[in-house]
Amino acid sequence: MLNFADSKLEQIMQEEQEDILEQITNSDYKYGFVTDIEADEAPMGLTEDTVKFISAKKNEPSWMLEYRLKAFRHWQTMETPEWANLTFPAINYQDIIYYSAPKQKVAPNSLDEIDPELRKTFEKLGISLDEQKRISGIAVDAVIDSVSVATTFREELSKVGVIFCSMSDAIQEHPDLIKKHLGSVVPATDNYFTALNAAVFSDGSFCYIPKGVRCPMELSTYFRINAANTGQFERTLIVAEEGSYVSYLEGCTAPMRDENQLHAAVVEIVAMEKAEVKYSTVQNWYPGDKEGKGGIYNFVTKRGICAGNHSKISWTQVETGSSITWKYPSVILKGDYSIGEFYSVAVTNNYQQADTGTKMVHLGKNTRSRIVSKGISAGKSQNSYRGLVSVAKNASDARNFSQCDSLLLGDKCGAHTFPYIEVKNNTAMVEHEATTSKIGEDQIFYCNQRGIDTETAVALIINGFAKEVMNQLPMEFAVEAQKLLAISLEGSVG
Amino acid sequence: MLKIENLQARIEEKEILKGINLEIKPGEVHAIMGPNGSGKSTLASVLAGREAYEVTGGSVDFLGKDLLELSPEDRAKEGLFLAFQYPVEIPGVSTTNFIKTAVNEKRKYQGLDPLDAAQFLRTMKEKMKLVQIDQSLLSRSLNEGFSGGEKKRNEIFQMAMLEPKLAILDETDSGLDIDALRIVANGVNELRSANNAFLVVTHYQRLLDYIVPDFVHVLYNGRIVRSGTKELALELEEKGYDFIKAEVEKETV
């Protein structure tokens, strides 16, 4: 009788969990508003003229235009990659507006002159462009659609030699640094989306930390898509000279629209000898509605090179948004004793699809890498980890540890792990661990029995699951990110 | 405090509880004994509100409220506690954080401010002594990698922190060695007062040597077939459950 009861219990519990899961997904996307502001836009579609239009808008030097045109011509010969575990209709690249800039009444010379509408927009997003309101000591570069509208604390940072500005300004003001480093980690020809980005990128952030400087505050960029039918193609470049340190954060949101919008960014990091760069992302692009309509297509290439010995690059990402995420923040471990890290939490709900992971390319001797990936799938979503650990012939005594855990909420979602390991040196030690688990009805009941309601219980359980990654985030971000995890899965159970 | 009248419950189509009557008053300790499959754990689960069980008849009054109408979390916040037979693991959530959440949820329900870190720590230190639980255990993920004894002690510790009106111990003695059993029982005895009550579900008489009940009930085939004092437990221990089964069958023929 007990055995009968046990097996029945299991069956009923499963059915109940399904019922509960049916009730999912009533969570609202908080950042779905649109700012009504006049925009200066490129005509729809992509030709050489579009590329020239963007370059002209930015008064770019001819070498920059040449770079773009070369990339564009290469892009035309390429095809969309199809190896990822993602399904979506073909993107019509002629249906996209490649440049859209909010029209400001006056070109702002200082932060005080920024259009109040824009200021309000960012305030609504919790981003203050007011340096007086410096609470947590974070400098912000605020990018809306195709342009950077404000960068805070530029002066204060310049006192210690740190350059923090929009990519457009950097091209004008620091051409030598840009010429030297742009495309040095992610060449335009790297893949379909990097070629596209190189051709049409409009803005983004540039950070330069001189030798021996520990950046006195967190640097951050906040990306906002506002205009309809546009794509956002930003470009970020971080250069950390010998013995320097910087922690950089990025956040992103977009309005709710029925059409999909494309976001194809490139981020490059260069870390010289003994330099350390910590890069944290909280990605919260509009994920689409409960039926999977709308949402951002997020095709991003992020790569850092540990160029010098004893350098370190650490990627931390919390991915909760986008209808499609295609993203593999990677580290090339060129310097001896260099360290690469990748910490990721990817949450998918409803019809979201994520194919994300990393590449750790060990070239130098005694290099180390660590990968911690936590995938959380709910609704009818698909969540894949894809990672490559490669150890070159001369990379003796390389070490890698990878941990890939998946948590499933319900049985209509999928979790997949695609680890690739290529080792050409027999002194390498490469470890890979993977687990898959479900939030159990018994865990939730246990919490309920202690007076914790189901919503709080789910938040507790997923934050516990993601803790190792969340711990990597800077404090101010970690609290936000924890809330975001809970919101993304609101209604997922109970 | 608790009044169960003609409680019937099933899982799917299978009737498990077939009319339970039981009244527990403040200050009392009741033991429910019975052979495997008699419905002991089902009774504990139904009272705590596990949804897999369907109540098909009867009523349960808990401190003047219709218990069966309350959600599991509200039952808990009204003062009902279940020490689980198989405590679950929650990776990444420290026991301390978990209990703090639980304690503050209950306080919110009672209209009280949440305990601040210092107050919470003070209470915790106090209660830790009761069950001889180590601080290091509490900073680890809830029940993850705990031994059987540690899990059960953790249940009693949580009980001490939440100060329930009615605590149901579901086979808390299973899988415990004699030392752990003594620690758990001592914890319970320390918490006994004129204002609270315990319902101890157990298969063996052993636990009742340490937690001495006021009343013992024998559950068989979904009904309480015998009630008595602690002597009944000793009789069961001596004669085994077969004699109860035989008696019950004789009566029903």
Side-chain angles (χ1 to χ4, degrees), chain A residues 283-296:
Chain A
Q283 187 264 107
N284 187 22
W285 294 117
Y286 176 53
D289 70 8
K290 278 179 277 177
E291 275 75 48
K293 202 170 183 193
I296 302 292

Side-chain angles (χ1 to χ4, degrees), chain A residues 51-70:
Chain A
V51 177
K52 286 175 186 161
F53 175 91
I54 293 169
S55 192
K57 272 281 167 201
K58 297 182 169 295
N59 292 319
E60 283 178 353
S62 59
W63 57 266
M64 198 63 240
L65 177 61
E66 280 313 307
Y67 179 88
R68 290 178 179 276
L69 288 172
K70 213 174 135 197

Side-chain angles (χ1 to χ4, degrees), chain B residues 12-119:
Chain B
E12 287 256 290
E13 296 305 311
K14 183 77 188 171
E15 295 291 335
I16 299 186
L17 302 182
K18 297 172 182 170
I20 303 276
N21 293 292
L22 181 65
E23 188 172 356
I24 300 178
K25 296 197 173 79
E28 292 179 350
V29 174
H30 290 243
I32 299 259
M33 301 184 70
N36 282 337
S38 58
K40 299 189 301 287
S41 284
T42 298
L43 177 61
S45 293
V46 167
L47 292 176
R50 200 184 262 276
E51 282 176 43
Y53 296 92
E54 188 193 344
V55 174
T56 50
S59 66
V60 182
D61 179 282
F62 179 55
L63 297 164
K65 290 206 164 107
D66 181 354
L67 185 76
L68 302 174
E69 284 297 306
L70 298 174
S71 66
E73 57 268 32
D74 284 350
R75 295 179 195 199
K77 288 184 279 201
E78 287 289 340
L80 185 136
F81 182 90
L82 173 65
F84 283 67
Q85 184 178 3
Y86 304 109
V88 304
E89 300 180 359
I90 305 185
V93 177
S94 73
T95 306
T96 306
N97 185 18
F98 178 76
I99 297 175
K100 196 173 172 186
T101 308
V103 166
N104 285 334
E105 287 287 320
K106 187 173 177 180
R107 288 181 68 89
K108 193 160 81 186
Y109 186 78
Q110 295 168 330
L112 300 169
D113 286 336
L115 287 182
D116 65 36
Q119 289 169 315

Side-chain angles (χ1 to χ4, degrees), chain A residues 134-167:
Chain A
R134 178 178 172 179
I135 308 159
S136 42
I138 301 176
V140 183
D141 183 22
V143 176
I144 193 157
D145 295 324
S146 303
V147 291
S148 162
V149 293
T151 309
T152 62
F153 298 109
R154 279 184 70 163
E155 271 177 47
E156 194 167 332
L157 288 165
S158 72
K159 282 178 201 156
V160 288
V162 171
I163 302 169
F164 180 48
C165 63
S166 69
M167 185 55 84

